[in-house]
Amino acid sequence: MLIRHADDLTENDVTPQDVYLRRREFLALGAAGIGLGLAGEAAAIPLKGNVSPFSTTEPKTSKEDVTGYNNFYEFGVDKDDPARNAGSLKTSPWTIKIDGECARPGTVDLASFLRGNTLQDRVYRHRCVEGWSMVIPWLGVPLADLLKRYQPTSKAKYVAFETLYRPSEMPGQKRRVLDWPYREGLRIDEAMNPLTLMAVGLYGETLKNQNGAPMRLVVPWKYGFKSIKSIVRISFTETQPRTAWNLSAPQEYGFYSNVNPQVDHPRWSQASERRIGEFRRRPTLMFNGYGEQVASLYRGMDLKKFF
Ligand code: MTE
């Protein structure tokens, strides 16, 4: 991955005018080589990188769809609600607390995260449990690179994630659509798998709020709801964490939630999907096409029971 340092950038590289006007802020963060929004819903700042070998070469879903057709129930339940309402979320300052079964609990903020890590550009398939899919160019860091620094102990069997709870800025939290805050979890080997990404950007820019700014998980072989947005806490746990959708409808949403065309949702088939921007349905692939990387994690498990 190539991080463009501030010194390498010309004004032509920084095309949107609002970004150009924020150039001083951007240069102030030159030590990281990366510009960050400094207050509220910051203007997107360019991030650049080379495509990783994990990337698919399939055509990408348009940026308009990736940033305009979202699930983020903290901002409403309709697909266009997040883009419309998420501007109220202040993403700076922002810290993630890391605690639980680890030798070095601590906190991480976005700026130090970006200074200490090399970003990768990963074009991943993204399959929502509702039957639609996208192809999204994310920018992020393998989650394992972050987690290892906190030295999980031998008791750390799982990793639990929590989204911010702030109803004043997340109007959807005023209604009990889910048991807030949104929570997710992975088994530690899933969390440490090289495909699992902590994303901070997409389409070459910092994440927009509707996509989970400033940091969200991306687990491409699982249904999209595992990819929790706007994370404020990561805990290493000995027991399997509770997750928002499993708490809300356990018969419909299991802990594993691997993309699996052979296990139907109780109310619809999971055998096919519609890629946003296309009309035809295409067959859904086991593990969303990432079986080579992840099938071994589930060897010997009955994936109909552990759906
Ligand atoms: N994270 C939080 N905090 N709240 C949510 O409602 N929705 C999930 C997931 N992460 C959700 C969330 C679902 S159902 C999907 S499909 C993906 O986010 C959607 O990600 P995208 O909008 O970036 O495509």
Side-chain angles (χ1 to χ4, degrees):
M1 140 81 201
L2 182 88
I3 295 183
R4 308 276 307 275
H5 284 263
D7 299 345
D8 300 330
L9 288 168
T10 67
E11 274 137 43
N12 290 340
D13 289 310
V14 188
T15 33
Q17 201 199 11
D18 54 348
V19 172
Y20 171 67
L21 294 173
R22 294 168 59 90
R23 194 161 172 271
R24 274 175 182 282
E25 283 175 14
F26 183 47
L27 292 174
L29 284 148
I34 291 158
L36 305 175
L38 295 182
E41 196 198 18
I45 302 288
L47 302 175
K48 237 172 171 185
N50 286 341
V51 168
S52 127
F54 287 124
S55 290
T56 172
T57 53
E58 289 169 79
K60 294 173 203 139
T61 303
S62 74
K63 186 174 165 188
E64 289 65 40
D65 283 334
V66 172
T67 58
Y69 188 92
N70 300 101
N71 274 333
F72 200 168
Y73 276 26
E74 285 84 340
F75 297 104
V77 297
D78 291 333
K79 300 291 178 256
D80 55 353
D81 284 342
R84 209 149 19 96
N85 300 330
S88 51
L89 176 64
K90 289 196 184 63
T91 58
S92 178
W94 191 278
T95 51
I96 299 182
K97 181 177 175 192
I98 304 197
D99 62 4
E101 298 293 347
C102 60
R104 300 174 68 92
T107 58
V108 55
D109 67 69
L110 185 61
S112 63
F113 176 79
L114 291 174
R115 265 194 296 275
N117 290 283
T118 304
L119 286 187
Q120 297 190 17
D121 191 334
R122 302 262 185 103
V123 186
Y124 278 163
R125 287 180 288 276
H126 177 67
R127 169 64 156 83
C128 181
V129 75
E130 296 162 343
W132 51 268
S133 64
M134 296 190 185
V135 175
I136 304 182
W138 300 106
L139 285 145
V141 172
L143 181 67
D145 291 358
L146 173 71
L147 296 185
K148 280 176 193 160
R149 296 199 189 138
Y150 298 88
Q151 298 178 9
T153 68
S154 59
K155 283 188 177 168
K157 305 277 192 279
Y158 296 89
V159 187
F161 304 86
E162 247 178 59
T163 294
L164 178 71
Y165 179 69
R166 196 183 286 161
S168 59
E169 293 175 19
M170 298 177 127
Q173 289 177 334
K174 291 180 180 147
R175 293 173 51 205
R176 278 187 61 92
V177 188
L178 288 170
D179 186 5
W180 310 111
Y182 195 100
R183 299 186 189 97
E184 257 309 333
L186 295 172
R187 222 171 52 190
I188 189 118
D189 56 346
E190 297 177 319
M192 294 294 188
N193 186 277
L195 278 180
T196 307
L197 206 64
M198 182 61 91
V200 294
L202 63 79
Y203 260 111
E205 293 180 338
T206 47
L207 285 177
K208 291 193 183 295
N209 285 0
Q210 59 265 36
N211 291 104
M215 291 198 250
R216 58 92 54 88
L217 198 63
V218 179
V219 196
W221 71 95
K222 292 179 182 277
Y223 292 116
F225 66 87
K226 297 294 285 185
S227 293
I228 180 171
K229 296 178 168 180
S230 306
I231 297 169
V232 290
R233 185 171 177 196
I234 300 178
S235 311
F236 296 99
T237 66
E238 196 168 7
T239 53
Q240 187 175 299
R242 298 182 314 153
T243 64
W245 283 105
N246 183 250
L247 280 169
S248 143
Q251 67 292 354
E252 300 192 7
Y253 307 106
F255 177 79
Y256 283 92
S257 300
N258 290 317
V259 174
N260 187 344
Q262 290 145 30
V263 177
D264 288 339
H265 184 279
R267 290 183 281 132
W268 59 83
S269 162
Q270 292 292 28
S272 69
E273 68 202 55
R274 189 175 77 82
R275 186 117 333 143
I276 298 299
E278 294 179 357
F279 290 105
R280 70 183 177 99
R281 292 190 76 83
R282 56 171 73 215
T284 285
L285 303 174
M286 186 67 200
F287 299 120
N288 206 21
Y290 297 99
E292 206 177 303
Q293 288 93 346
V294 301
S296 62
L297 298 175
Y298 309 104
R299 199 160 285 146
M301 275 178 77
D302 177 352
L303 294 181
K304 290 208 160 78
K305 186 169 167 209
F306 298 101
F307 62 89

